[in-house]
């Protein structure tokens, strides 16, 4: 196991901001993963698991500890029945390659999660979701090294406490578990309507009536290519803010003032409101704030056009949050995690 020093983390995140990692190592086996964590803990050095850095923002000081990158690839079919196939996927796999393969196998369950950057190991952390699916819908369990109890564990779906863009890996137990594999159960039945509105629109435009999982992947990839900037060309972290969730009394106030406000009834007297719409209403769509561009096709996305580091990003973030707070009395939350 090689340990590298002073590695610029801006090169390992899609936002391309931030200072160096004091130490960094790539692990290729379970044993190396445990060795890396044990080494850091025995020397009282903090450690952090990094995937592809597509949901991570790094501070200008960098990370004064050990960055561990899980590079363990591969997947195994655990079981196969007439109705479903269960697969175990190692954490270092590229997420979209996993989706592509399962779609080629004609399996249903993660096809709408096509083209989300990142690794399979990171997918449960924020319960990745898009176009009506989230990984919580198909994840059976995962294996992880528990750095607190120093043992390998299997966590079932319910143990992960998945919710909208969240799980125990982001909240209560952040930093505790190094996820090493995820197990998904995917289905052999054809996808059935209703489909997510934008996906259905794509099918209508393209006269697709007998929908296959491959059609959904194609539709999602086309919609995303139009709405989301490619991080390789325009550094960004996808949605920079989570969609807003408000209580019924607040929703009633807002819909009175903004009758055309898009919203989604989540049950339990809560409503989801697209934060991109809120930002757009504040007149910020397309604007450049401290070198950060509010994407002109999707105001949820911030592009690092010419930011001079984390400070500029923070200025832009606070200006946007302040505008939404002042206009709608909603406290919006950042989606990417920070180190
Ligand atoms: C253009 C673009 C579009 C995006 N679209 C979507 C979208 O539609 N839906 C969506 O949900 N997200 C989206 N994202 C966000 C991002 O792709 C996902 O959150 C993805 O799962 C992050 O994977 P990563 O490997 O890059 O994680 P990283 O950014 O490297 O890490 C994210 C978090 O996961 C933790 N982590 C990573 N690997 C492990 C592991 N093996 N064990 C334990 N913890 C780990 C890290 O410590 C960190 O806290 C988008 C991002 C971009 C840039």
């Amino acid at each position: 196991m090689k340990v590298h020093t002073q590695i610029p983390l801006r090169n390992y995140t899609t936002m391309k901001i931030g200072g160096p990692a004091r130490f960094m190592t790539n692990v290729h086996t379970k044993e190396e993963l445990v060795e890396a964590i044990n080494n850091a803990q025995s020397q009282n050095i903090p450690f952090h698991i990094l995937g592809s850095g597509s949901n991570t923002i790094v501070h200008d000081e960098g990370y004064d500890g050990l960055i561990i990158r899980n590079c363990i690839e591969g997947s195994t079919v655990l079981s196969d029945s007439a109705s479903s196939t269960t697969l175990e996927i190692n954490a270092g796999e590229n997420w979209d390659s996993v989706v592509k393969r399962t779609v080629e196998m004609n399996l249903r369950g993660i096809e709408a999660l096509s083209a989300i950057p990142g690794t399979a190991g990171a997918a449960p952390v924020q319960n990745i979701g898009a176009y009506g699916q989230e990984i919580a819908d198909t994840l059976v369990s995962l294996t992880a090294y528990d750095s607190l109890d120093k043992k390998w564990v299997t966590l079932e779906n319910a143990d992960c406490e998945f919710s909208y863009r969240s799980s125990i890996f982001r909240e209560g137990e952040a930093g505790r578990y190094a996820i090493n594999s995820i197990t998904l159960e995917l289905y052999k039945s054809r996808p059935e309507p209703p489909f997510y509105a934008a996906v259905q629109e794509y099918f209508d435009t393209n006269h697709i009536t007998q929908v296959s999982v491959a059609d959904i992947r194609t539709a999602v990839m086309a919609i995303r290519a139009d709405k989301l900037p490619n991080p390789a060309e325009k550094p960004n972290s996808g949605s920079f803010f989570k969609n807003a969730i408000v209580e019924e009394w607040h929703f009633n106030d807002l819909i009175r003032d903004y009758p055309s406000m898009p919203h989604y009834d989540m049950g339990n007297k809560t409503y989801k409101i697209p934060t991109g719409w809120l930002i757009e209403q504040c007149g910020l769509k397309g604007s450049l704030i401290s070198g950060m561009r509010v994407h002109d096709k999707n105001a949820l996305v911030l592009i690092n056009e010419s930011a001079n580091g984390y400070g500029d990003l923070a200025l832009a973030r606070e200006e946007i949050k302040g505008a939404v707070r002042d206009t709608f009395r909603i406290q919006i939350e950042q989606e990417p995690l920070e180190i």
Side-chain angles (χ1 to χ4, degrees), residues 36 111 142 172 244 261 319 330:
E111 63 282 359
L142 57 80
M261 179 178 74
E319 187 167 330
I330 295 178

Side-chain angles (χ1 to χ4, degrees), residues 46-115:
F47 71 90
H48 179 83
I49 312 283
L50 185 69
S52 309
S54 63
N55 209 33
T56 298
I57 305 291
V58 182
H59 287 227
D60 291 338
E61 314 83 74
Y63 185 71
D64 189 16
L66 173 66
I67 294 286
I68 301 172
R69 299 179 71 230
N70 185 324
C71 300
I72 309 175
E73 294 183 344
S75 62
T76 321
V77 173
L78 295 183
S79 67
D80 192 36
S81 74
S83 57
S84 71
T85 301
T86 302
L87 294 142
E88 183 176 14
I89 300 140
N90 288 326
E93 279 280 323
N94 172 272
W95 173 254
D96 190 53
S97 308
V98 173
V99 180
K100 182 170 183 282
R101 275 203 313 274
T102 59
V103 166
E104 282 164 2
M105 292 162 80
N106 214 9
L107 294 172
R108 180 177 61 77
I110 54 173
E111 63 282 359
L113 306 180
S114 289

Side-chain angles (χ1 to χ4, degrees), residues 14 48-56 70 91 116-119 121-123 125-126 128-130 165 177-179 224 228-229 231 236-238 335 337:
T14 57
H48 179 83
I49 312 283
L50 185 69
S52 309
S54 63
N55 209 33
T56 298
N70 185 324
I116 297 182
T119 53
V125 174
Q126 76 152 2
I128 57 167
R165 291 303 88 77
Y177 296 105
I179 298 168
R224 291 181 70 98
L228 287 164
N236 74 89
S237 304
E335 185 184 291
L337 294 151

